[in-house]
Amino acid sequence: MSFFYRVFTTTERKIWGDEIEAFLEKENVGLGLYGVVEEENADDLNAPPVELLFFDPDENEVASLVYDSLDDSDFLADEIEEFQGCVDEMQPVCNRAWARERLAQTKGCYCFTVFDAGFNVANWDRLATLAGWLREETDGIEQSDGGQITNEAGEVILVVPDDVDLDDEEDDADQTDADDFADEQDDVDEFPAALRVGDAWVSKNVDSEETFAEFLRGEP
């Protein structure tokens, strides 16, 4: 099954080809790039690529990248609507409204298909560096399959409690489920998170089961 890592953007700007390659070289990210063009343009050296393939220093294929604009995509609008539904099954509750609003502002989507080599720690960090730059340049948010959603600063704002059945109509049920989910975690990898308080983000470093449970409950 394919694994997707997306950057939903709120600007019309498309960063592509030479611009991405220049960033990778300037920041010494450690990814090589190869552009794939439409079959009918295979002999045209100036044809713009429709897909980018990334390789690590050992020439392992790490991921591919495509870009879709809301204006001309046959499926992006439906995909955004689907993600709006996914938000209703994520924690913490206090961040859902902001995520729904931000998804509604989507103008385009960079979608990485991550291959086996992409899950190597070093390669995942390389992809995250590229995705983070795309997010910053396009005022976007990041999303990974079955994983998490970030805010515009790259802080995690929503996670998927895979082992818990959520009832998003009752806040008490949400909080109980959040506690149960946190209790089931044997280990918590440290990550930067944020909670929406009023009209601003309050950053929170999640580095233990206790702080993870607080995050899921929406406690700064």
Side-chain angles (χ1 to χ4, degrees), residues 150-188:
T150 77
N151 61 13
E152 70 276 32
E155 298 168 314
V156 175
I157 62 167
L158 288 169
V159 297
V160 180
D162 295 322
D163 300 326
V164 177
D165 292 328
L166 297 179
D167 179 0
D168 58 12
E169 295 181 356
E170 298 184 16
D171 289 344
D172 290 343
D174 280 320
Q175 179 162 323
T176 299
D177 289 335
D179 291 340
D180 290 344
F181 178 49
D183 288 343
E184 291 180 8
Q185 306 308 297
D186 295 328
D187 189 26
V188 176

Side-chain angles (χ1 to χ4, degrees), residues 18-196:
D18 292 343
E19 195 169 358
I20 290 180
E21 187 172 24
F23 167 76
L24 296 175
E25 293 179 356
K26 177 182 177 182
E27 300 300 325
N28 195 27
V29 176
L31 289 176
L33 179 155
Y34 175 77
V36 179
V37 301
E38 296 283 8
E39 186 174 352
E40 59 267 27
N41 296 326
D43 296 328
D44 182 359
L45 298 179
N46 296 315
V50 294
E51 180 180 16
L52 302 178
L53 296 176
F54 298 97
F55 300 85
D56 66 17
D58 294 323
E59 299 299 321
N60 297 307
E61 197 171 70
V62 173
S64 69
L65 177 64
V66 296
Y67 174 81
D68 290 288
S69 169
L70 187 62
D71 290 339
D72 55 25
S73 173
D74 294 330
F75 63 86
L76 185 55
D78 291 337
E79 190 172 69
I80 294 169
E81 183 177 353
E82 180 180 342
F83 280 112
Q84 293 281 22
C86 292
V87 165
D88 292 335
E89 300 177 351
M90 303 181 78
Q91 299 280 20
V93 177
C94 63
N95 288 342
R96 291 177 183 172
W98 185 90
R100 292 191 201 100
E101 181 179 351
R102 202 30 136 11
L103 283 169
Q105 298 171 7
T106 296
K107 301 296 185 184
C109 178
Y110 294 89
C111 183
F112 293 89
T113 300
V114 183
F115 306 130
D116 288 346
F119 295 100
N120 171 281
V121 174
N123 286 336
W124 183 264
D125 287 345
R126 290 169 175 138
L127 288 177
T129 297
L130 175 56
W133 175 68
L134 292 171
R135 168 182 48 76
E136 292 172 355
E137 293 293 311
T138 61
D139 193 29
I141 61 175
E142 299 173 53
Q143 182 274 338
S144 60
D145 275 358
Q148 59 194 32
I149 293 177
T150 77
N151 61 13
E152 70 276 32
E155 298 168 314
V156 175
I157 62 167
L158 288 169
V159 297
V160 180
D162 295 322
D163 300 326
V164 177
D165 292 328
L166 297 179
D167 179 0
D168 58 12
E169 295 181 356
E170 298 184 16
D171 289 344
D172 290 343
D174 280 320
Q175 179 162 323
T176 299
D177 289 335
D179 291 340
D180 290 344
F181 178 49
D183 288 343
E184 291 180 8
Q185 306 308 297
D186 295 328
D187 189 26
V188 176
D189 292 330
E190 183 174 0
F191 62 89
L195 296 164
R196 197 69 177 175

